[in-house]
Amino acid sequence: MISARTGSMLSVKQAAQRLFGEGYTEADTSRLYRGIKCGQIHAQQIGGRKYIPVWQIETLEGVQSDR
């Protein structure tokens, strides 16, 4: 498992796969992009791609498990 302390980042597709499983859809990635755009999900843009910190994904996983 990747530690949040390493400052690791995941692409939006990698984040969608981690959050929604292997069968993630384009709608799942769109949901992440909407969260980034409205400021609910922290992300960093490098070149033309957005990357989400692992700690943010771990936070989202915690929110999902609470539902």
Side-chain angles (χ1 to χ4, degrees):
M1 177 133 193
I2 300 172
S3 170
R5 293 187 190 116
T6 64
S8 296
M9 307 281 269
L10 298 175
S11 70
V12 173
K13 288 183 180 183
Q14 290 170 324
Q17 183 177 12
R18 181 163 166 178
L19 290 169
F20 305 111
E22 290 289 329
Y24 74 93
T25 64
E26 190 174 322
D28 296 324
T29 57
S30 294
R31 184 185 311 172
L32 291 175
Y33 280 117
R34 281 193 308 273
I36 292 168
K37 186 174 181 178
C38 72
Q40 293 176 333
I41 298 174
H42 299 279
Q44 183 175 26
Q45 185 163 342
I46 301 172
R49 293 185 167 196
K50 291 188 178 5
Y51 293 90
I52 302 172
V54 172
W55 66 264
Q56 178 70 76
I57 300 304
E58 290 171 348
T59 300
L60 293 171
E61 287 173 330
V63 169
Q64 283 184 346
S65 66
D66 289 346
R67 291 184 180 180

